[in-house]
Amino acid sequence: MIDLEPLTINGSELKLPLIISGPCSAETEEQTLKTARELASYGIKIFRAGIWKPRTKPGGFEGIGEEGLKWLKRVKEETGMYTATEVATSAHVKAALREGVDILWIGARTTANPFAMQEIADALRESNADIPVLVKNPVNPDLELWIGAMERLNNAGIKKLGAIHRGFSAYGKHLYRNMPQWHIPIELKRRMPNLPIIHDPSHVGGKRELVMPLSQQALDMGFDGLIIESHCDPDCAWSDKTQQITPDVLNYILNTLVYRDETSTTESLNLLRQQIDTIDNELLEILNKRMRISREIGQYKKEHRMPVFQVDRHDNIMQSRVKTAKEMGMSEDFMKTILSAIHEESVRVQINILNSRQ
């Protein structure tokens, strides 16, 4: 069990929804301060910037290094903003704490490495750190690995923990840079309801035009904040320029987003939920009937020595049902997922019949 405390800095509790913004990388002192001043003018309270940048291949810009921590210190002194940066080693932790960084976050690659996480946890314990630490989800969709990373930090005495949902890697070309797989952070919230979860639309989308819709979707789903990459001149950024936006665009987005009011009356909502409960029970009854028929089909195939899987039948069902679902206004991907799950269970039931001794 993870022991959590509210996210506070110097005794002041951070207000939710949390908005964190700043460039992917601190490139120069001028770029860092210019971006920070513009963000501060729009009321942003937490400034993020990468100091050490893990790159997939050597040769890319890997961060300015410890020199950039001095720039973050100047940001805090000149604007009053809190500062945040990513750490991946014990040396990073010690340097960031020494220069007064207010919030640390753990990147996706580091979260996926238990040895690296333990090294960071040990460094935080040795430093007697009492600051918020935000943990990005691992690159692969592994909830237990995500939770395990936070448990290591918690065991080291870090109570001010938060999670960052930045999406999950997937092979091939997709709409998103990293697939959101919303069900994973939702399950994390179900298991750890007091854990703040912040969405990272910059890394999920990978494109500027996706920042706003992804941010709205996250807020609609009850996320506790956003971490958005913002650069004073994103087209000239040294890293991830396609997903960064200007501070004025960020300001427009934040003022356009709809923030849901959890204190509103839920009487009408409860009536709708009751209808959902009734329909779900009806769906279970229908699925149960379908599986009973699948068992009868399995028995028939066993008696007549027929194979379980028949490609033509499967393809015809998928095409016709998906077509009908689309005409009814439902998502093609959603219906394919549902039908595939039902088909897999039907095949499993029939194989059990064929392998039975009766």
Side-chain angles (χ1 to χ4, degrees), residues 318 322-323 325-326 329-338:
M318 291 293 286
V322 169
K323 181 176 181 294
K326 288 176 66 177
M330 285 185 279
S331 159
E332 180 176 346
D333 289 341
F334 167 71
M335 189 48 56
K336 284 181 178 179
T337 300
I338 294 295

Side-chain angles (χ1 to χ4, degrees), residues 7-21:
L7 300 182
T8 61
I9 298 176
N10 297 328
S12 298
E13 187 168 347
L14 298 178
K15 182 181 178 182
L16 301 179
L18 211 60
I19 304 297
I20 304 172
S21 191

Side-chain angles (χ1 to χ4, degrees), residues 143-156:
L143 178 58
E144 299 306 324
L145 196 57
W146 197 1
I147 293 174
M150 288 184 279
E151 287 179 339
R152 290 179 186 276
L153 297 173
N154 198 236
N155 291 342

Side-chain angles (χ1 to χ4, degrees), residues 29-313:
E29 186 172 18
E30 180 184 7
Q31 166 256 2
T32 302
L33 290 168
K34 187 174 188 297
T35 304
R37 292 179 187 124
E38 291 180 14
L39 289 170
S41 72
Y42 291 123
I44 303 302
K45 304 298 185 186
I46 305 175
F47 181 79
R48 58 139 291 154
I51 300 299
W52 302 277
K53 301 298 298 182
R55 312 312 297 175
T56 301
K57 294 181 179 180
F61 176 60
E62 297 185 336
I64 201 69
E66 286 193 35
E67 181 184 1
L69 295 173
K70 307 290 186 183
W71 308 341
L72 294 187
K73 201 168 188 178
R74 277 200 63 188
V75 165
K76 190 192 307 191
E77 291 170 353
E78 291 192 18
T79 68
M81 300 170 79
Y82 296 126
T83 57
T85 198
E86 176 180 346
V87 293
T89 68
S90 60
H92 293 170
V93 171
K94 293 172 183 176
L97 293 176
R98 186 170 59 248
E99 295 298 334
V101 174
D102 299 294
I103 300 172
L104 305 180
W105 82 78
I106 313 297
R109 293 177 177 88
T110 308
T111 302
N113 185 338
F115 293 108
M117 284 305 309
Q118 191 59 54
E119 177 184 331
I120 291 170
D122 291 343
L124 288 166
R125 187 203 305 272
E126 292 168 8
S127 302
N128 198 27
D130 184 29
I131 65 172
V133 180
L134 310 178
V135 183
K136 288 194 172 186
N137 62 256
V139 290
N140 51 314
D142 189 335
L143 178 58
E144 299 306 324
L145 196 57
W146 197 1
I147 293 174
M150 288 184 279
E151 287 179 339
R152 290 179 186 276
L153 297 173
N154 198 236
N155 291 342
I158 300 299
K159 310 298 183 184
K160 301 168 185 176
L161 282 171
I164 298 177
H165 169 237
R166 51 79 75 191
F168 303 88
S169 297
Y171 183 76
K173 292 185 177 180
H174 303 275
L175 170 62
Y176 303 112
R177 178 180 178 182
N178 294 292
M179 303 303 289
Q181 299 209 42
W182 296 102
H183 64 283
I184 296 177
I186 288 174
E187 174 62 13
L188 176 62
K189 191 68 171 177
R190 187 191 69 80
R191 290 169 60 173
M192 301 174 65
N194 295 325
L195 177 75
I197 303 181
I198 299 164
H199 178 63
D200 181 348
S202 304
H203 279 90
V204 171
K207 305 183 187 80
R208 295 170 196 160
E209 59 268 26
L210 293 177
V211 169
M212 184 169 179
L214 283 167
S215 296
Q216 186 63 69
Q217 188 169 356
L219 292 177
D220 290 346
M221 298 173 73
F223 280 63
D224 299 293
L226 303 167
I227 180 168
I228 299 175
E229 291 188 345
S230 180
H231 190 293
C232 58
D233 188 5
D235 288 333
C236 296
W238 297 0
S239 58
D240 288 348
K241 64 182 181 181
T242 61
Q243 68 190 40
Q244 299 191 67
I245 58 177
T246 60
D248 60 323
V249 170
L250 174 72
N251 184 56
Y252 170 79
I253 288 174
L254 295 178
N255 285 313
T256 304
L257 293 173
V258 178
Y259 298 86
R260 306 300 175 185
D261 183 4
E262 295 185 0
T263 63
S264 299
T265 177
T266 59
E267 182 177 354
S268 298
L269 184 60
N270 288 335
L271 293 174
L272 293 172
R273 285 172 172 167
Q274 289 174 16
Q275 293 181 47
I276 289 289
D277 292 342
T278 300
I279 293 171
D280 283 349
N281 289 330
E282 292 173 355
L283 282 173
L284 291 173
E285 289 292 338
I286 291 171
L287 287 172
N288 187 43
K289 290 178 183 177
R290 195 186 194 286
M291 292 307 151
R292 282 206 300 267
I293 296 172
S294 292
R295 284 191 285 272
E296 293 179 15
I297 291 173
Q299 187 62 40
Y300 182 91
K301 290 177 178 178
K302 179 178 181 179
E303 293 170 358
H304 293 81
R305 297 180 179 276
M306 295 173 62
V308 168
F309 186 65
Q310 296 172 319
V311 176
D312 291 343
R313 168 68 176 165

